[in-house]
Amino acid sequence: MTTPVRLGVNLDHVATLRNARGVDYPDPIRAARLVMEAGADGITLHLREDRRHIRDADLEQARALAIPLNMEMAATAEMVRIACALRPHACCLVPERRAEVTTEGGLDVAGQRAALGPVVTALRDAGIRVSLFVDPDPAQLDAAAGLGAPVVELHTGAYANGRAGELARLVEGARHAAGLGLEVHAGHGLTYENVGPMMALPALRELNIGHALVAEAVFCGLVESVRRMRAVMDAGQRRGGAG
Ligand code: PXP
């Protein structure tokens, strides 16, 4: 029997909705409990430098729940300090620009080895599983393995935007990463419609999905939106990613 690919649910946009009114609802922690009930394997929260959605208190409350917590963060001294104190199950390092609407590209691990190396080491020393969010580029994957990161998350944004050749690039990237001994995750811009072919990525262990799930929850509720994604992923895995 094949092991199901894990589903991590990114809850940033529950906090976006809350912060739009400066009130205390909808509560990302209530959402965290519901997505786990619906079959998610963990949650992801991105603590941005400008705190535009997730806040420090959200992370602390999420950490208190007995569920796998993936903290998405930029490789800054402030974030490393917070992560090492919080000790989430995992940290995913992402590039971050203040003006961007969402994480637009992968980390330039090859170009930033000197800056990223100590961050990976500090997080690993704190017992945190570190992943690097990268484009499916062999040079970036080689650099990630060279820094001792155990996991890479492949950026699926270009695929989700329909760019020609991206599925093949992701398949090759996943194969390359697995060959380096890296655990393969993927995410960004995934929806019910485009997630199926992701199940063909060699050695894929986890998908991280947020915006589409929170958006669909407006119509059918969070439990149903996550259950449906779980079912689409499972069906895709049974078909080996075809169609
Ligand atoms: N993985 C990473 C590293 C991300 O930055 C994001 C977006 O915050 C996601 C996954 C989820 O992307 P989306 O919200 O488009 O599903």
Side-chain angles (χ1 to χ4, degrees):
M1 213 188 83
T2 49
T3 315
V5 169
R6 291 192 301 265
L7 171 59
V9 178
N10 182 314
L11 294 172
D12 295 349
H13 295 303
V14 176
T16 301
L17 196 55
R18 175 193 64 190
N19 297 0
R21 274 294 176 93
V23 290
D24 60 3
Y25 65 87
D27 175 11
I29 302 306
R30 181 176 170 201
R33 290 199 183 91
L34 287 177
V35 301
M36 295 305 287
E37 190 184 307
D41 297 287
I43 61 159
T44 295
L45 302 177
H46 184 175
L47 189 67
R48 280 184 169 267
E49 185 194 10
D50 61 9
R51 310 300 198 266
R52 70 171 75 153
H53 36 56
I54 294 300
R55 299 171 180 152
D56 302 56
D58 297 323
L59 267 179
E60 283 154 24
Q61 288 175 44
R63 180 68 181 86
L65 302 173
I67 62 177
L69 168 64
N70 178 32
M71 175 181 170
E72 216 183 291
M73 57 182 259
T76 62
E78 181 200 17
M79 290 300 151
V80 172
R81 185 177 46 71
I82 292 171
C84 288
L86 192 77
R87 290 175 190 257
H89 170 68
C91 281
C92 180
L93 297 178
V94 297
E96 199 176 290
R97 284 200 301 276
R98 260 178 192 261
E100 70 188 359
V101 175
T102 183
T103 312
E104 285 164 359
L107 273 176
D108 180 14
V109 188
Q112 296 177 352
R113 280 191 181 90
L116 291 171
V119 172
V120 172
T121 304
L123 296 172
R124 285 196 72 170
D125 288 351
I128 301 166
R129 186 193 73 187
V130 183
S131 89
L132 301 181
F133 188 48
V134 291
D135 292 321
D137 169 355
Q140 299 296 346
L141 298 165
D142 292 344
L147 289 188
V151 181
V152 283
E153 181 168 329
L154 301 179
H155 196 315
T156 56
Y159 159 77
N161 288 335
R163 199 158 81 190
E166 278 303 316
L167 178 57
R169 230 179 128 223
L170 285 164
V171 168
E172 268 319 300
R175 185 169 294 127
H176 189 84
L180 293 165
L182 294 163
E183 182 172 314
V184 180
H185 299 181
H188 208 282
L190 297 177
T191 63
Y192 302 112
E193 288 73 29
N194 67 22
V195 77
M198 291 297 93
M199 310 318 283
L201 298 190
L204 180 71
R205 295 294 306 121
E206 180 174 311
L207 291 179
N208 284 301
I209 308 179
H211 187 260
L213 293 174
V214 174
E216 185 60 16
V218 169
F219 301 106
C220 67
L222 201 48
V223 169
E224 187 49 36
S225 82
V226 171
R227 271 198 190 132
R228 192 171 143 208
M229 183 59 78
R230 180 73 265 170
V232 174
M233 284 170 60
D234 291 345
Q237 207 173 351
R238 280 195 297 275
R239 289 194 306 270

